[in-house]
Each structure stands twice: as structure tokens, then as C-alpha cells.
Amino acid sequence: MIVSTLGASGCGPTLRGTVPSERLRDVVQRDTVPFANEALPAELLERLARYEVVVVGEYHGITEHDAFVGELVAGLHAAGFRNLLLEFPQAYGWLLDGYARGILDTPGEGALRTYGPLLERVRSLNATLPAANHVRVHAIDVNARDDDFLPPFRGLAHQLGLPRVLTEAIESIEAGAARDATLGALEAALVADEERLRGAWGEGGYEAVLALVEAERRSLEVRLFPAGRRRDEAREALMKALVDRQLARGSGGTVVNVGLYHAQKTRRDGTVAVWLAEHLVRSSPHAQGRTFVLAVVPASGEKVFGERLRSFDVATDSPANELFRIMREVVGDVVAFLPLDDELFSHERVVVNYLPRIDTEPPALVFDGFVLLPEVRPAGR
């Protein structure tokens, strides 16, 4: 197992003054909604349908997570949700969307490796719908490496018939010209010739090119920083801008699937002062007051921690009064949803095993609800 009972071993926070097992169990038994035959319960969909933005926080690299989010997107479609935003290099966004809408045969190996089950579920959903009702997929992360940009940019240029304004920029970058200057000149040319290019490429084509160029210019700024707090802050600022851009342009509800750190309403972990979810909940002009933050957490199975694949089980790795251990004991081997509505989740110290860190602060300050996956395995296994 990956951890011992941290509170008892003295390696984690003190458990003194935390909500006792019996009291926490009463709330969990009353409020937890188990999934029947893995179908999403109406209580979950009805709750989320009240909002315009649902942020889903994930532990990366878990196949069961992607399957759950795919069903969530499909389940919320009837409530008007039409957008899925993924933590993936922005330059690949047009490939993700084209694949999800059945226009392209592949989104690329990296996207299938990262989001294969999720993209397949959205693709199968869209195949049953008229184009006007398709779920659109967008990538909202920084292009973290120099070579994140050029391959998908070339591909998009090919899709548009290799227009000279794009091929000249590609040739210039390939010849070693300063990328920022080249992209700045291209962006100016796109804006100056907007009306003609929109007519030639279509609304979607023009917007895809412009968004890709703008995001790469911002990504260049992020890549100037070495790994560390400043780079993390710059990356998060770009993610906030890309999400707000999509919320401003899109119609219908939006699911935003990101890593658990990005999904914090109040910072408890990481180097960033204000994570994406806190921005959406508290300050985004497009999401403030209309966002629900859902953390999807595993109860047992195998997961990569650092560079090692390890097994874990909250039933043995957690203190007796830990929230996910009690949820698992109450619902058994099924997926379950727990909204954090009870006041104790907002005002009292609740033991939560975030694998491997044990936390004892009120969880509702960070998330609005949990979905517990009973057993997980690494993606691709």
C-alpha cells in the first residue's frame, strides 16, 4: 500500500478535533447517492444541470475517470451542455474537436493515449445528433514544448488548402526565424484580412487559426520561465484566459476537465495562488456564481505516483474517520456521488485522503462534491 495511516503514524496532520467516524457516517449514509448499474443517477445530473459550468477535477492517467466524464457529458447533453474543455495543449484543439464530431479519423496518438475513452464516447454521442447539437471539444492548456505547435499548425494549414499566409509563416519558423515575431506578423495579417479569410476558410476555420496563433504567442511567454512557481503561475493565467475565451464564444453548458490542482476553489495544494476553479467561481465574468466543482477520486486500485506504479486502498491506507473510507464502507463496490452540502463539510475538520496526502480542513472550501470510483487502473492497462 502507498501510505500508512498517516495521522496515527505522526507523518501527517493531527487528527485531534476532526469529525468522528459515527457522525461522519450518518451524513454519508444520508447524502451519498450510489450509481445503479454504473448509470449516472438523476440526482447528480439534476444537480449539475442547475449550473452553466461544471469543473471536473481528476487524478491523471486513470481509465475509469475518462469513462465517467464521457457518460457525464452525454448525460448533461439533454440539459443543454454543448462544450467540453480538456487539459491538453491548445494547438491540438481543432484535432480533438474534429475527431469528436466525426470529421477527422484521429485526434493524434497523444490525445488518444490521454483521453481515448472520453473522446470515443463524445464521438459516439455526436454521431447520433445533428451538427448543430454536437458537443464541441476544445483544448485549454499551454503548448508546453516548442514542438507542440508546429505539427498541428501544419495540419490545420493542410485542411484549409495550404493558404499562402499560413505556409509563409510555417516556412519562416522552420527556417529558424524568431517565432514570436513571425506569429505576431501572422496575427496582424489575419486581423487585417479578416473578412476575406472568414469567407475563404469559414467561420470555424478562421477562428481555429486565430486562436491557435494567439495561444502559441502566450505559450511562448510561459516557456520563457524554467520549471517552478513563476512558470506555474504563467501557465495557470493562460489556462484561465483560454477557458474564458471559450465560455465567451460558446453556447450551452460547459464541462471543464482538468487535474485536481486546477479544480481547487481555494488553494490547498500547489504553487499557484489562485487556481482555475477559484477564478471561475469567484471572478470570471462568464462563470462566476454559475460553476460547480466536482472532484473525482479513486478508492482503490493501481496508480502511478511519481514514476512508480503502486497499489492503494483507502480501507487500509486511511484513518477510521476518513471520508472516502467511510463512503466505501457505506456504498460498497459502486461509484457514488456525495454533494458537500452539510455544514460540517464547510465548517469542521474532516479527514480526507487525497492520495497520498491526508488533509483535515473543511473539504467544501475546495470542492462542491465528490464522485468516488471504487477501483481504478492506469490508462492503457
Side-chain angles (χ1 to χ4, degrees):
M1 298 300 172
I2 62 168
V3 290
S4 60
T5 303
L6 297 183
S9 69
C11 297
T14 177
L15 303 186
R16 186 178 298 111
T18 56
V19 177
S21 300
E22 297 77 10
R23 184 161 168 241
L24 190 56
R25 187 181 302 275
D26 288 343
V27 174
V28 168
Q29 287 179 325
R30 184 195 68 205
D31 292 351
T32 301
V33 182
F35 290 27
N37 300 319
E38 300 185 356
L40 271 63
E43 293 94 327
L44 172 62
L45 295 176
E46 290 169 2
R47 166 65 70 93
L48 299 184
R50 303 173 195 169
Y51 298 85
E52 295 180 25
V53 178
V54 174
V55 177
V56 181
E58 72 164 317
Y59 286 78
H60 291 311
I62 294 175
T63 296
E64 289 76 9
H65 178 92
D66 286 352
F68 164 72
V69 177
E71 293 305 319
L72 182 65
V73 170
L76 288 172
H77 188 271
F81 278 67
R82 297 292 185 271
N83 308 286
L84 172 62
L85 311 187
L86 297 176
E87 184 185 336
F88 203 72
Q90 189 279 338
Y92 289 83
W94 72 274
L95 285 160
L96 302 182
D97 190 55
Y99 182 73
R101 301 180 69 204
I103 299 170
L104 301 176
D105 293 331
T106 178
E109 291 183 9
L112 286 177
R113 188 167 54 248
T114 306
Y115 291 115
L118 173 52
L119 292 173
E120 292 292 347
R121 182 65 181 94
V122 177
R123 183 179 171 94
S124 66
L125 170 67
N126 282 338
T128 69
L129 300 169
N133 291 335
H134 278 180
V135 173
R136 303 297 301 269
V137 181
H138 302 278
I140 47 85
D141 200 359
V142 64
N143 301 324
R145 305 172 303 172
D146 283 345
D147 58 1
D148 280 336
F149 170 75
L150 206 51
F153 186 49
R154 286 196 204 97
L156 184 55
H158 275 277
Q159 291 290 320
L160 297 174
L162 294 174
R164 186 159 186 78
V165 67
L166 301 186
T167 59
E168 287 180 345
I170 292 170
E171 291 166 0
S172 178
I173 292 172
E174 290 177 332
R179 186 173 296 200
D180 189 39
T182 299
L183 294 178
L186 173 58
E187 185 175 343
L190 294 173
V191 172
D193 203 14
E194 177 178 354
E195 183 175 355
R196 185 184 70 81
L197 294 177
R198 283 186 186 274
W201 301 345
E203 186 79 13
Y206 178 84
E207 287 296 333
V209 172
L210 187 62
L212 198 152
V213 172
E214 291 174 349
E216 175 61 5
R217 295 192 71 194
R218 289 285 302 271
S219 294
L220 288 172
E221 299 172 6
V222 177
R223 296 201 297 268
L224 289 175
F225 297 108
R229 183 187 60 80
R230 294 180 68 190
R231 181 170 178 135
D232 293 344
E233 287 280 6
R235 176 195 179 196
E236 202 71 11
L238 178 53
M239 290 180 69
K240 294 169 188 174
L242 290 175
V243 172
D244 274 338
R245 187 183 196 278
Q246 293 301 333
L247 294 178
R249 292 190 55 78
S251 59
T254 299
V255 173
V256 184
N257 186 86
V258 289
L260 210 64
Y261 276 23
H262 303 288
Q264 296 174 91
K265 293 192 303 177
T266 303
R267 182 173 71 89
R268 292 289 298 149
D269 278 309
T271 58
V272 173
V274 177
W275 290 98
L276 172 64
E278 182 172 356
H279 164 72
L280 293 174
V281 169
R282 303 184 190 280
S283 58
S284 168
H286 312 292
Q288 183 180 5
R290 304 186 296 277
T291 297
F292 188 96
V293 181
L294 181 69
V296 180
V297 297
S300 67
E302 291 184 319
K303 184 185 179 302
V304 175
F305 292 87
E307 296 181 356
R308 294 181 59 189
L309 178 65
R310 298 185 179 183
S311 61
F312 65 93
D313 191 334
V314 294
T316 54
D317 298 342
S318 299
N321 64 334
E322 192 272 326
L323 177 60
F324 301 145
R325 175 175 178 169
I326 291 175
M327 285 182 68
R328 184 74 183 278
E329 292 170 354
V330 167
V331 302
D333 294 330
V334 298
V335 183
F337 166 58
L338 175 65
L340 301 179
D341 297 335
D342 194 280
E343 287 191 356
L344 72 83
F345 293 122
S346 298
H347 302 292
E348 300 189 46
R349 298 180 68 226
V350 177
V351 182
V352 183
N353 187 350
Y354 287 113
L355 293 170
R357 187 181 67 81
I358 296 284
D359 192 39
T360 59
E361 296 304 310
L365 301 182
V366 187
F367 306 110
D368 295 315
F370 291 116
V371 163
L372 186 68
L373 305 175
E375 186 173 8
V376 302
R377 65 192 187 282
R381 288 172 61 91

